[in-house]
């Protein structure tokens, strides 16, 4: 019976149990023992990155955690985090090759441990893990290529894309962070102490990285944090707002706008109805002004999706959106104008008749100018609106307002546009209006002819006035000059 009790007391802990800090042994030298120490019980100090002795300048090879006794795993885990805190110079590929490989293997092991879920971390371990991640990813970003050359920022070719040389280590660190955030073993109540507002803010600053691979990881991680940590949601939205404000009104340079908009597209899709006033203000103050920067083409696809999501959520926002886009309509940038025409078509597809009527006059005044654009792609993109059944239906309902606005632009294209494709498309649209309402079409044609006749009379009157002025000037030169003494 005694042997059975002893065996029960020696039960091995399961792998899924949390690993507690080991109790320090009393083998340290120079320990003074007095009589009071017999009654006092020493409180064990938890092992952290600060308490583990550091081997400066060296990276040691440690055994795999699964091969380490349970009582020593906490200490070995902290020592592995210490190894991962060493930062190496990747500008020289031949420097510290062995140490870099040791760190890479250690990071890969930690990533597998976090993903497996069989290795539960206590609060101290989680805190030290986040410290290690912070040491590696929170750094000064290298300057952008256009900052070194003095050229304007823009889209780079694939072979010119910046690739961070430290990515073999950075990728594994980001992988650990992502797996930690999404792990079912991660208690959000504990994790939010370390993934706090300061951490999230520094994470958002990294979206300005030139490395697209890093921005993709950041996008996924921030999205997961937003989904799991509800306490951070208002803060994340406000922080993104501030990034947009600084980009729009100050710098017009930021690499991660497209990725942030991609996150927001998913966030907007989850907004509850009726929509909060703060969300509508975000649309008016941040999203619509994002049409202003010159580099809008680099993120316009994501921006257009966010804008359309708002209108789909609340159809009453269509008028606000359309008038907002018209406010930032480009004057000389034809590529930007083509993008805007495509975006407005997507918005109109989810616009109802009542909202369309509120903004159709300023909208089709601009469309009339786009129809007469000398750049054939702009005129072509505007004419393609008449291939959209929903837009054609809206136009047909309000043809008495719209046709008089754009009739002159259509006639001008048919008579004198240099591109034959634009002439053909304009003729098709003209014929479509004729089939819709022949009486209205004839009325608009009559008014157009009257305006042309009046314009011709004005030109003739102007020519007659100039002729009279020339005659008076000729008579004045023939008269004797009067000299006043």
């Amino acid at each position: 019976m005694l042997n059975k009790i002893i065996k029960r007391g020696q039960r091995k802990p399961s792998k899924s149990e949390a690993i507690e800090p080991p109790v320090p042994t009393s083998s340290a030298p120079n320990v003074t023992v007095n009589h009071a120490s017999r009654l006092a019980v020493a409180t064990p100090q938890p092992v952290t990155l600060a308490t583990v002795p550091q081997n400066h300048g060296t990276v040691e090879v440690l055994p795999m955690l699964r091969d380490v006794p349970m009582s020593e795993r906490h200490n070995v885990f902290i020592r592995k985090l210490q190894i991962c805190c060493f930062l190496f110079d990747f500008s020289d590929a031949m420097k510290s090759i062995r140490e870099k490989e040791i760190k890479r293997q250690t990071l890969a092991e930690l990533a597998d441990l976090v993903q497996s879920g069989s290795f539960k971390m206590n609060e101290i371990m989680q805190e030290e893990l986040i410290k290690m991640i912070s040491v590696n990813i929170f750094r000064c970003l290298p300057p952008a290529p256009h900052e070194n050359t003095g050229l304007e920022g823009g889209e780079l070719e694939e072979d010119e894309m910046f690739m961070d040389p430290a990515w073999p280590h950075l990728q594994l660190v980001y992988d650990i962070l992502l797996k930690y955030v999404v792990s079912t073993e991660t208690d959000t109540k504990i994790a939010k102490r370390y993934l706090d507002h300061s951490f999230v803010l520094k994470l958002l600053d990294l979206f300005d990285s030139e490395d697209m691979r890093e921005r993709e990881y950041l996008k996924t991680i921030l999205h997961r944090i937003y989904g799991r940590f509800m306490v951070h949601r208002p803060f994340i939205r406000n922080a993104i707002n501030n990034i947009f404000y600084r980009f729009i009104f100050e710098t017009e340079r930021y690499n991660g706008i497209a990725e942030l908009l991609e996150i927001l597209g998913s966030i907007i899709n989850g907004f509850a109805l009726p929509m909060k006033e703060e969300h509508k203000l975000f649309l008016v103050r941040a999203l619509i002004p994002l049409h202003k920067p010159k580099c809008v083409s680099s993120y316009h696809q994501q921006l257009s999706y966010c804008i359309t999501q708002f209108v789909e959520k609340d159809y009453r926002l269509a008028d606000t959106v359309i008038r907002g886009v018209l406010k930032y309509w480009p004057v000389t940038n034809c590529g930007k104008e083509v993008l805007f025409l495509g975006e407005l078509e997507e918005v109109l597809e989810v616009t109802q008749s009542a909202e369309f009527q509120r903004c159709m006059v300023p909208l089709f005044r601009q469309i009339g100018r786009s129809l007469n654009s000398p750049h054939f792609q702009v005129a072509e993109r505007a004419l393609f609106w008449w291939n959209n059944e929903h837009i054609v239906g809206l136009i047909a309902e309000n043809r008495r307002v719209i046709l008089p606005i754009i009739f002159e632009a259509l006639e001008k294209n048919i008579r004198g546009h240099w591109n034959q494709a634009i002439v053909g498309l304009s003729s098709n649209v003209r014929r479509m209006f004729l089939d819709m309402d022949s009486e209205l079409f004839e009325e608009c044609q009559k008014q157009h002819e009257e305006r042309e006749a009046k314009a011709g009379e004005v030109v003739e009157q102007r020519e007659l006035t100039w002729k009279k002025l020339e005659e008076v000037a000729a008579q004045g030169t023939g008269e004797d000059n009067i000299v006043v003494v």
Side-chain angles (χ1 to χ4, degrees):
M1 178 65 69
L2 181 62
N3 291 334
K4 290 182 179 180
I5 294 173
I6 293 173
K7 289 180 180 179
R8 289 177 184 175
Q10 293 177 349
R11 180 178 62 87
K12 294 183 180 180
S14 63
K15 291 184 179 180
S16 61
E17 292 176 352
I19 303 173
E20 298 298 330
V23 179
T25 60
S26 58
S27 60
N30 300 327
V31 177
T32 303
V33 180
N34 53 25
H35 296 286
S37 65
R38 296 177 182 177
L39 301 175
V41 179
T43 304
Q45 296 294 324
V47 180
T48 65
L49 289 177
T51 59
V52 171
Q54 299 185 9
N55 298 324
H56 296 285
T58 61
V59 177
E60 59 181 329
V61 179
L62 295 175
M64 303 286 286
L65 274 173
R66 64 171 179 264
D67 300 332
V68 175
M70 188 66 64
S71 59
E72 298 179 14
R73 286 192 180 183
H74 181 279
N75 193 9
V76 174
F77 182 82
I78 299 298
R79 289 169 67 188
K80 285 181 178 288
L81 292 180
Q82 177 188 330
I83 290 174
C84 295
C85 286
F86 280 97
L87 302 179
F88 297 99
D89 180 12
F90 281 84
S91 60
D92 186 356
M94 304 305 296
K95 186 177 180 180
S96 305
I97 297 178
R98 175 180 173 275
E99 289 78 4
K100 290 176 183 176
E101 179 60 21
I102 293 173
K103 178 178 177 179
R104 190 196 65 78
Q105 292 179 3
T106 305
L107 288 169
E109 180 190 0
L110 293 176
D112 292 338
L113 287 172
V114 174
Q115 184 179 21
S116 65
S118 61
F119 182 81
K120 286 188 176 180
M121 294 182 289
N122 55 39
E123 293 185 29
I124 296 174
M125 288 178 167
Q126 294 182 52
E127 181 180 6
E128 301 303 325
L129 178 69
I130 299 302
K131 286 182 181 178
M132 182 275 292
I133 292 171
S134 300
V135 167
N136 281 273
I137 66 175
F138 298 146
R139 65 206 189 279
C140 292
L141 298 174
H146 58 75
E147 293 178 4
N148 292 331
T149 59
L151 300 176
E152 289 293 328
E155 294 185 4
L156 299 175
E157 299 294 335
E158 288 187 5
D159 55 348
E160 297 178 358
M161 291 291 184
F162 174 77
M163 312 288 275
D164 196 318
W167 185 245
H169 287 179
L170 282 174
Q171 181 181 14
L172 289 169
V173 175
Y174 278 120
D175 202 32
I176 292 172
L177 177 58
L178 177 59
K179 290 174 179 177
Y180 173 75
V181 172
V182 302
S183 174
T184 55
E185 299 295 330
T186 300
D187 187 352
T188 56
K189 294 181 180 179
I190 297 174
K192 71 180 181 181
R193 302 174 190 169
Y194 317 120
L195 301 178
D196 55 6
H197 286 178
S198 175
F199 185 91
V200 171
L201 202 58
K202 292 177 182 177
L203 205 65
L204 282 166
D205 289 338
L206 291 174
F207 273 85
D208 199 21
S209 171
E210 293 283 335
D211 196 325
M212 186 181 297
R213 301 168 299 179
E214 182 171 13
R215 298 199 303 271
E216 283 296 315
Y217 257 105
L218 288 166
K219 177 186 70 176
T220 306
I221 291 169
L222 185 64
H223 193 190
R224 296 294 186 178
I225 290 176
Y226 186 92
R228 290 205 66 183
F229 298 85
M230 295 186 66
V231 67
H232 289 334
R233 290 184 179 182
F235 178 82
I236 291 174
R237 291 197 300 268
N238 288 334
I240 293 176
N241 277 3
N242 293 334
I243 291 174
F244 287 167
Y245 294 152
R246 188 166 61 250
F247 169 72
I248 296 166
F249 302 109
E250 294 181 13
T251 63
E252 289 197 6
R253 286 178 179 176
Y254 196 85
N255 292 309
I257 297 296
E259 287 78 11
L260 291 175
L261 286 170
E262 199 167 336
I263 296 172
L264 285 171
S266 178
I267 293 173
I268 295 166
N269 193 29
F271 281 166
L273 295 176
M275 196 174 294
K276 295 180 180 179
E277 192 64 27
E278 65 172 295
H279 300 330
K280 296 178 182 179
L281 289 176
F282 168 69
L283 168 67
V284 174
R285 296 179 179 177
L287 285 186
I288 292 178
L290 277 173
H291 292 84
K292 175 178 174 285
K294 296 178 182 178
C295 57
V296 65
S297 59
S298 63
Y299 57 82
H300 183 265
Q301 181 180 355
Q302 294 82 0
L303 175 61
S304 179
Y305 177 77
C306 291
I307 294 288
T308 308
Q309 285 290 308
F310 266 101
V311 180
E312 287 182 354
K313 282 283 181 179
D314 189 349
Y315 68 91
R316 293 170 296 182
L317 294 173
D319 177 55
T320 302
V321 167
I322 292 173
R323 289 180 183 272
V325 174
L326 292 176
K327 178 181 177 182
Y328 296 102
W329 200 270
V331 178
T332 58
N333 191 332
C334 296
K336 194 173 176 181
E337 190 170 0
V338 171
L339 293 176
F340 282 24
L341 287 166
E343 179 182 355
L344 285 182
E345 181 177 357
E346 293 179 3
V347 172
L348 288 174
E349 285 180 355
V350 293
T351 301
Q352 298 184 10
S353 180
E355 300 302 318
F356 177 77
Q357 290 173 1
R358 294 182 183 180
C359 59
M360 61 183 176
V361 173
L363 174 61
F364 278 88
R365 282 176 181 166
Q366 178 56 57
I367 295 304
R369 291 189 287 270
S370 297
L371 290 174
N372 291 146
S373 173
H375 196 292
F376 80 96
Q377 288 182 339
V378 174
E380 182 182 56
R381 192 65 190 82
L383 288 163
F384 279 167
W385 278 22
W386 276 265
N387 293 335
N388 189 302
E389 292 183 5
H390 180 72
I391 296 178
V392 170
L394 293 173
I395 293 173
E397 291 177 7
N398 303 277
R399 57 185 179 274
R400 291 195 169 275
V401 177
I402 295 174
L403 182 56
I405 296 175
I406 65 170
F407 187 88
E408 185 176 352
L410 292 173
E411 291 295 321
K412 186 176 179 181
N413 274 356
I414 294 171
R415 293 181 183 181
H417 201 282
W418 65 272
N419 189 283
Q420 291 301 313
I422 302 303
V423 174
L425 289 171
S426 299
S427 300
N428 293 338
V429 172
R430 183 178 183 272
R431 191 179 306 111
M432 191 179 296
F433 277 111
L434 180 60
D435 295 338
M436 285 182 191
D437 193 333
S438 58
E439 293 181 3
L440 174 63
F441 184 87
E442 292 174 359
E443 182 181 344
C444 290
Q445 189 173 25
K446 183 179 179 181
Q447 292 176 357
H448 176 66
E449 292 173 353
E450 290 176 356
R451 284 195 298 269
E452 282 191 335
K454 290 181 180 179
E457 293 176 0
V458 170
V459 171
E460 291 179 1
Q461 186 64 36
R462 186 184 302 117
E463 290 177 354
L464 290 174
T465 303
W466 277 110
K467 286 181 180 179
K468 290 180 180 179
L469 288 173
E470 289 174 358
E471 292 175 359
V472 171
Q475 292 176 0
T477 55
E479 296 178 354
D480 295 331
N481 295 328
I482 303 173
V483 180
V484 179
V485 180

